[in-house]
Amino acid sequence: MDSKNTTKIGLFQLVMLTLGSLIGSGWLFGSWEATKIAGPAAIISWVIGGVVIAAIAYDYVEIGAMFPEAGGMSRYAQYSHGPLLGFIASWANWISLITLIPIEAVAAVQYMSSWPWSWANWTHAFLKNGAITTSGLMVVFVFILVFTLLNFWSVKLLTSFTSLISILKIGVPALTIIMLTVSGFYPQNYGHSVHEFMPYGSAPIFAATSAAGIIFSFNAFQTVINMGSEIKKSRKNIGRGIFISLLISGIIYILLQSTYITSMKPSTLASTGWSGFDFNSPFADLAIMLGIRWLSVLLYMDAFVSPVGTGVSFAASTGRALYAMESNQHIPSFIGKINQKYGIPRVAMIVNLVLSMLMVSVFRSWSTLATVISTSTLIAYLTGPVTAVAFRKLAPNFKRPVKLKNLGWMAPLSFVLASLAIYWAMWPTTVEVILVILIGLPFYFYYEYRAGYVDTRKAFYSSMWMIIYLIFISIMSYIGSAEFNGINWIHYPWDFVVIALASLAFYYWGIKTAHVFPDFYQAKKLNDTVKMNDDD
């Protein structure tokens, strides 16, 4: 995907691009959704969500530096475990990415639907009962089209746009934190006892990480990995870009959550409870409640800026992910065609445009889209820690510009955390997302048939751990505790213990079944191009 016209991205541009993805609609809705579920204890949910994603991201730093390629996260499992696992992981990741584009458009339109001005009454028809209406859907389509067109000509245009917009996206949340705190600061809202701090118990703290879009809000670290060979000094900047971006966004999200909690007037809170606030535009509505109308106007404007920045960034990542899937040779080859002038996969971007529109036509609410994204992404991420450790056994002599000292214990920990977060999404979401992932398998087997079923049995053997795992996590979601919508055969928190222990078994099974496939030699060729001291 490189071309002579492809512009390399430096660390500052990389961080700005990633922040442009990270600080999207999650900050506009996440605090409100999390507090409805967990009360003031939602602030812990953000910490847990950040830890889960940071642990997962840690594994990808090593393999991202080993294989710096565009859309890399859709290919790593293919290198270590063959085409079937690679297809499952890349399909799950791609499903999350084509859902990310419309969720940002939905966020912008949802804020539009509550514009308070008389001349904007026509926008109120965009949302009904928390779901986008047909008229609102047309506006969502326009946003998705804009996201795609801003990526359509060059990486240089993309980075120039997102560097500017990301600065605004950091500034507006910071100003919101300051102004809401100055206008109304009630720290007593955190409560004076454990019960007041956790009014709904401890289980909702974990549920909020997936169901309130917290995992979704941190998900965009993969923007760094998917840019791959387009990053200057990738040996150093992949890890730096992920760490700096997650740290900045994590601080902003936690401060926003605390500000939301402490800005509520105690008298209003006493009459409604944390779950009683029915906001369409949470922070803008809160600013109006506190009499800061100019801030609400700014927030309505930022409801365009934040989602557009994220949508633009993920239109880029999604195109690269689909391009990488085509190299697996299990989807039509024309989809991966690269525009020679600009070095970008234009056909893939058009396909994603159409499918994103189809996705939002089916799932029309922000919370539903956020849950689908979180679960499908986490399923794809399960392969990361397994692949990172498997490569140390399969290819001990590969170049490792970054060799992680703590991978031995961080990899199994991140696998367990990802498994728990999938479970936290609650029944029936797990099964629904797994079924969406399975829809892609006919493509895989059709192309296996055309290829004469070369290595199909071996690939199935190497992927069996993931297939059985998906069955296991679906059953656990159904028979698990009532707190997570299960039938309560296994009570909370023993359901966590069962999932943690079983996940470790699947993790070690996955490492053991890694094998050398033809794709492994592609990985070796790519690794041979890596500079151990790159100064480009």
Side-chain angles (χ1 to χ4, degrees), residues 89-406:
S90 59
W91 186 272
N93 189 49
W94 179 62
I95 290 295
S96 72
L97 289 172
I98 62 168
T99 311
L100 270 159
I101 298 172
I103 197 175
E104 299 304 326
V106 166
V109 172
Q110 184 163 335
Y111 261 67
M112 286 178 65
S113 72
S114 61
W115 278 356
W117 307 290
S118 57
W119 58 267
N121 287 339
W122 56 279
T123 65
H124 298 174
F126 292 167
L127 191 76
K128 184 177 181 180
N129 297 325
I132 296 296
T133 61
T134 301
S135 60
L137 193 62
M138 298 302 105
V139 183
V140 169
F141 288 170
V142 172
F143 273 101
I144 295 173
L145 180 62
V146 170
F147 297 163
T148 303
L149 291 178
L150 284 170
N151 280 276
F152 210 63
W153 282 279
S154 73
V155 173
K156 184 176 181 180
L157 175 63
L158 167 65
T159 53
S160 299
F161 176 80
T162 53
S163 291
L164 173 62
I165 207 169
S166 296
I167 293 172
L168 295 174
K169 290 173 71 171
I170 295 171
V172 174
L175 181 62
T176 301
I177 291 166
I178 293 169
M179 292 309 304
L180 291 181
T181 301
V182 169
S183 302
F185 182 63
Y186 307 100
Q188 62 267 36
N189 288 350
Y190 275 110
H192 302 285
S193 66
V194 173
H195 174 70
E196 290 179 352
F197 179 66
M198 299 189 298
Y200 311 121
S202 59
I205 296 173
F206 301 101
T209 60
S210 295
I214 291 174
I215 293 289
F216 153 71
S217 298
F218 284 114
N219 174 58
F221 82 87
Q222 65 171 287
T223 300
V224 178
I225 304 296
N226 283 326
M227 295 304 286
S229 56
E230 297 167 67
I231 301 172
K232 291 180 183 177
K233 300 182 181 179
S234 58
R235 180 177 69 88
K236 296 179 179 179
N237 287 342
I238 287 177
R240 289 175 178 176
I242 291 173
F243 174 77
I244 294 171
S245 302
L246 284 177
L247 180 63
I248 293 173
S249 60
I251 291 171
I252 291 173
Y253 281 132
I254 289 170
L255 288 175
L256 282 165
Q257 180 65 77
S258 183
T259 300
Y260 180 87
I261 291 168
T262 58
S263 295
M264 293 291 180
K265 292 182 179 179
S267 57
T268 305
L269 182 60
S271 62
T272 62
W274 290 107
S275 59
F277 291 98
D278 188 19
F279 292 147
N280 285 338
S281 310
F283 278 107
D285 292 342
L286 185 55
I288 292 173
M289 284 177 59
L290 295 173
I292 322 173
R293 289 198 166 267
W294 67 267
L295 180 61
S296 69
V297 174
L298 180 62
L299 287 165
Y300 285 125
M301 293 173 59
D302 188 68
F304 283 100
V305 175
S306 289
V308 166
T310 303
V312 167
S313 297
F314 270 100
S317 293
T318 308
R320 289 166 176 80
L322 190 56
Y323 159 80
M325 283 179 63
E326 183 276 329
S327 65
N328 194 328
Q329 299 179 351
H330 286 91
I331 60 174
S333 59
F334 73 89
I335 291 177
K337 185 178 180 181
I338 299 298
N339 180 276
Q340 294 302 312
K341 183 177 181 180
Y342 297 110
I344 56 177
R346 282 187 163 183
V347 176
M349 294 175 74
I350 294 172
V351 171
N352 288 329
L353 167 71
V354 174
L355 292 177
S356 292
M357 290 179 173
L358 178 62
M359 185 69 74
V360 74
S361 298
V362 177
F363 302 107
R364 297 195 182 192
S365 74
W366 188 91
S367 58
T368 303
L369 290 167
T371 307
V372 170
I373 291 167
S374 298
T375 310
S376 57
T377 304
L378 288 164
I379 290 172
Y381 286 162
L382 288 169
T383 61
V386 173
T387 294
V389 175
F391 260 110
R392 289 198 174 180
K393 297 179 180 297
L394 285 177
N397 297 321
F398 271 27
K399 295 177 185 177
R400 285 176 171 78
V402 179
K403 188 168 184 178
L404 302 171
K405 295 180 181 179
N406 300 309

Side-chain angles (χ1 to χ4, degrees), residues 33-34 37-39 41-52 198 200-216 371 374 378 416-426 481 483-484 492-497 499:
E33 293 279 4
I37 295 171
I43 197 163
I44 300 177
S45 303
W46 286 96
V47 176
I48 293 172
V51 169
V52 170
M198 299 189 298
Y200 311 121
S202 59
I205 296 173
F206 301 101
T209 60
S210 295
I214 291 174
I215 293 289
F216 153 71
T371 307
S374 298
L378 288 164
V416 169
L417 291 174
S419 298
L420 288 169
I422 293 170
Y423 177 72
W424 297 338
M426 298 189 287
S481 61
E483 287 84 350
F484 296 91
Y492 171 79
W494 295 108
D495 47 351
F496 287 18
V497 175
I499 288 171

